[in-house]
Amino acid sequence: MTYNLSEHQRDLYKLLLEMHTFPDTEFDVLIRKALDLIIKITGANLGYIELRDAHNTLWWSEFHCSEENIKEIRKKISSGIIAQALNSNETIITPKAYMDDRFKDRDSVQKALIEAVLCAPLNINGIKGVIYLEGNTSFESDVERNLLETSFFTKYIIPPLKILHRQIIHKTQKCAFRSRYNLESIIGDNSRFIQVLEEAMTIAELDLIVLLTGETGTGKTHLAKSIHSNSPRRNGPFIHVSCPNLPTNLIESELFGTVRGAFTNAINIKGKISMADQGTLFLDEIGELPLEIQSKLLHFFEEGFFYALGSQKKEMPDVRIITASNIDFEDAISRNKFRSDLYYRIAVYPIELPPLRERTSDIDSLITFFTHKFCRIYKIPTIPIRPNTFTILSNYEWPGNTRQLEHAVQQAVVRARKESSNELNIHHFFLSEK
């Protein structure tokens, strides 16, 4: 028997046959589109794809519906029929499930009064799955066509589902990694960014000097705190010193401390280095320190002791050093702005954080995270973000990186609240777009 192909059928066939040419990151969107087309072709009301492992644990599922309806649709899905397809490895088609002798006694079928059902099994590297279509009209009206369409669909949907399955496993492993090191508040799944996190957590357990480099706003301070909290010194202090913010005439006393009488009105002050004893000293933007302070730091790094200002007593605090900077050290050394010998001491293990423009895939997640954060801080309901706003923001370069994006989201939430807007639009982020 032959059929005249409809527009939906042609689109589905073309999509399935060309799906292997698309990037892996687009497969979830493409599968949703393919599911939409098979639903239109068969006349179903909803569709569902499910994968289960050997322990019958749900790995991945997809509904042809809005997120708001997922909870309701879950109640209507008949797990009994799905189980039958998984166990028999045969396509199940029934015009009225609630009257079918095979399923009519099952509560899920009777409560939902499920009528027409088509359920086809999927076998993917030992992982079982099904495509489930449900409608209010009988699939029996054209059984042969629907079976043919579904068979074609399942054959060509399996390769991208295999890739999705690998992605799910990878995501599960990344979640386990984040949970193990308490990194849930550091947002981003970009492969290079994850590599940086993995590298940082590997050396966290080693008591060596770390240099974090990267543009301003890339998250060097957050990473330094995570290294400390996952190190053997986690129960000790984490002393954050913002080098550019140290008063020029007090830098030495702030870092190394003073004793009474060292200079006029001098009192006993414990320096930041001593305060970090048994913990971590984080010298943020160390490239901004003047050369004379660099010399004294170098002496401490090499000899393990120093003298507080005005003191003759050696101080030998046990500290781990983490430094950070956004300067070009090679250029700074060539201009005699930074000591080369100090650089070699602090660059025992350098880690470079990528700028946000090189991990644009993380921008949507960051926007969502910051939106929830500021709505929670301001004690207001979470404000949804207009979909096209995500696209525009993802294409912006964000020269100030994650810090700039965070401030932009904060301002957007405040502006939307001021307007009593029920969603975040692009003009809330950039006033010039209004």
Side-chain angles (χ1 to χ4, degrees):
M1 185 174 182
T2 59
Y3 305 101
N4 293 321
L5 293 180
S6 68
E7 182 180 354
H8 294 322
Q9 288 171 309
R10 287 194 296 270
D11 290 343
L12 177 63
Y13 293 174
K14 185 174 185 293
L15 177 65
L16 292 175
L17 292 173
E18 295 180 354
M19 195 172 277
H20 70 281
T21 65
F22 291 91
D24 293 359
T25 53
E26 296 182 11
F27 281 162
D28 55 342
V29 176
L30 294 171
I31 289 171
R32 182 184 294 271
K33 185 175 180 181
L35 188 58
D36 176 34
L37 289 169
I38 194 67
I39 285 172
K40 289 176 179 176
I41 291 168
T42 59
N45 290 338
L46 62 90
Y48 175 59
I49 293 180
E50 173 175 299
L51 300 180
R52 291 180 180 270
D53 65 13
H55 303 289
N56 210 34
T57 301
L58 183 66
W59 280 93
W60 180 78
S61 63
E62 176 61 62
F63 290 84
H64 175 66
C65 66
S66 64
E67 291 185 9
E68 294 79 13
N69 293 330
I70 287 180
K71 186 176 181 180
E72 185 61 30
I73 292 178
R74 278 192 182 276
K75 295 178 182 178
K76 294 173 63 179
I77 293 295
S78 170
S79 59
I81 295 176
I82 291 176
Q84 175 100 2
L86 286 170
N87 292 331
S88 67
N89 199 33
E90 294 179 354
T91 297
I92 293 173
I93 187 165
T94 179
K96 293 185 183 298
Y98 67 90
M99 295 177 63
D100 193 313
D101 289 339
R102 295 173 294 176
F103 314 113
K104 67 181 183 180
D105 293 332
R106 291 179 176 152
D107 290 341
S108 58
V109 172
Q110 290 297 326
K111 288 179 180 178
L113 286 179
I114 296 175
E115 292 192 357
V117 166
L118 190 152
C119 198
L122 300 167
N123 287 305
I124 305 169
N125 293 344
I127 303 297
K128 289 187 175 182
V130 291
I131 170 176
Y132 175 95
L133 304 177
E134 178 187 312
N136 294 327
T137 58
S138 175
F139 287 120
E140 292 283 0
S141 59
D142 202 342
V143 175
E144 185 178 348
R145 183 176 69 87
N146 285 327
L147 285 174
L148 182 64
E149 298 289 0
T150 308
S151 175
F152 183 84
F153 181 88
T154 55
K155 177 181 178 181
Y156 286 96
I157 205 70
I158 284 178
L161 281 177
K162 286 181 179 178
I163 295 174
L164 268 181
H165 176 237
R166 290 198 297 269
Q167 291 175 348
I168 292 163
I169 293 175
H170 184 55
K171 185 175 182 180
T172 301
Q173 292 171 338
K174 285 193 290 187
C175 289
F177 166 75
R178 288 182 179 278
S179 178
R180 176 184 176 187
Y181 294 105
N182 297 312
L183 300 174
E184 288 85 357
S185 63
I186 299 183
I187 308 302
D189 288 326
N190 171 270
S191 59
R192 184 181 169 194
F193 187 66
I194 291 295
Q195 184 179 0
V196 166
L197 294 182
E198 291 174 343
E199 191 174 8
M201 292 306 99
T202 298
I203 56 92
E205 301 174 0
L206 307 177
D207 210 20
L208 48 75
I209 298 177
V210 179
L211 170 61
L212 304 178
T213 62
E215 297 177 8
T216 182
T218 50
K220 296 186 288 292
T221 299
H222 283 96
L223 189 57
K225 290 179 179 178
S226 294
I227 291 173
H228 168 74
S229 63
N230 286 284
S231 75
R233 298 174 179 268
R234 63 178 65 86
N235 295 323
F238 176 84
I239 304 300
H240 180 186
V241 179
S242 178
C243 297
N245 293 330
L246 294 173
T248 305
N249 60 334
L250 296 176
I251 293 178
E252 185 175 359
S253 60
E254 284 284 327
L255 288 176
F256 300 97
T258 61
V259 296
R260 186 183 299 276
F263 51 84
T264 304
N265 298 324
I267 59 175
N268 291 328
I269 297 178
K270 196 173 186 177
K272 301 293 187 186
I273 299 176
S274 294
M275 291 170 62
D277 187 37
Q278 304 302 313
T280 300
L281 177 69
F282 176 46
L283 296 173
D284 196 4
E285 298 304 340
I286 190 174
E288 302 300 322
L289 289 176
L291 288 172
E292 56 270 25
I293 300 300
Q294 292 181 32
S295 298
K296 195 163 185 178
L297 271 178
L298 177 63
H299 178 270
F300 169 60
F301 292 165
E302 290 183 335
E303 305 298 331
F305 69 88
F306 64 88
Y307 296 96
L309 197 61
S311 174
Q312 299 299 315
K313 179 183 176 182
K314 283 184 181 181
E315 295 198 31
M316 304 175 66
D318 178 13
V319 301
R320 180 188 191 165
I321 305 297
I322 301 178
T323 64
S325 183
N326 61 11
I327 70 168
D328 181 336
F329 280 102
E330 185 177 347
D331 176 68
I333 291 170
S334 68
R335 293 186 297 107
N336 295 319
K337 295 294 184 180
F338 200 85
R339 294 180 60 111
S340 60
D341 45 5
L342 177 59
Y343 171 72
Y344 297 130
R345 290 296 301 180
I346 65 175
V348 175
Y349 201 99
I351 297 178
E352 182 180 8
L353 280 76
L356 194 54
R357 64 180 174 276
E358 293 181 8
R359 42 182 289 233
T360 55
S361 59
D362 289 335
I363 291 179
D364 286 6
S365 298
L366 285 164
I367 294 171
T368 301
F369 176 80
F370 292 139
T371 300
H372 283 280
K373 171 184 174 180
F374 290 115
C375 287
R376 184 173 61 252
I377 290 174
Y378 301 138
K379 295 180 172 59
I380 60 176
T382 300
I383 306 174
I385 304 163
R386 192 168 186 150
N388 70 327
T389 300
F390 278 118
T391 303
I392 297 172
L393 295 176
S394 294
N395 290 327
Y396 186 68
E397 283 202 357
W398 300 107
N401 296 292
T402 305
R403 184 184 296 124
Q404 182 189 7
L405 177 61
E406 180 177 8
H407 292 165
V409 173
Q410 182 180 18
Q411 293 170 356
V413 168
V414 172
R415 289 168 184 154
R417 178 66 172 172
K418 183 179 179 182
E419 293 178 6
S420 297
S421 175
N422 59 2
E423 64 179 2
L424 291 178
N425 292 298
I426 192 61
H427 74 268
H428 294 130
F429 293 86
F430 304 109
L431 291 177
S432 59
E433 299 293 329
K434 190 170 182 179

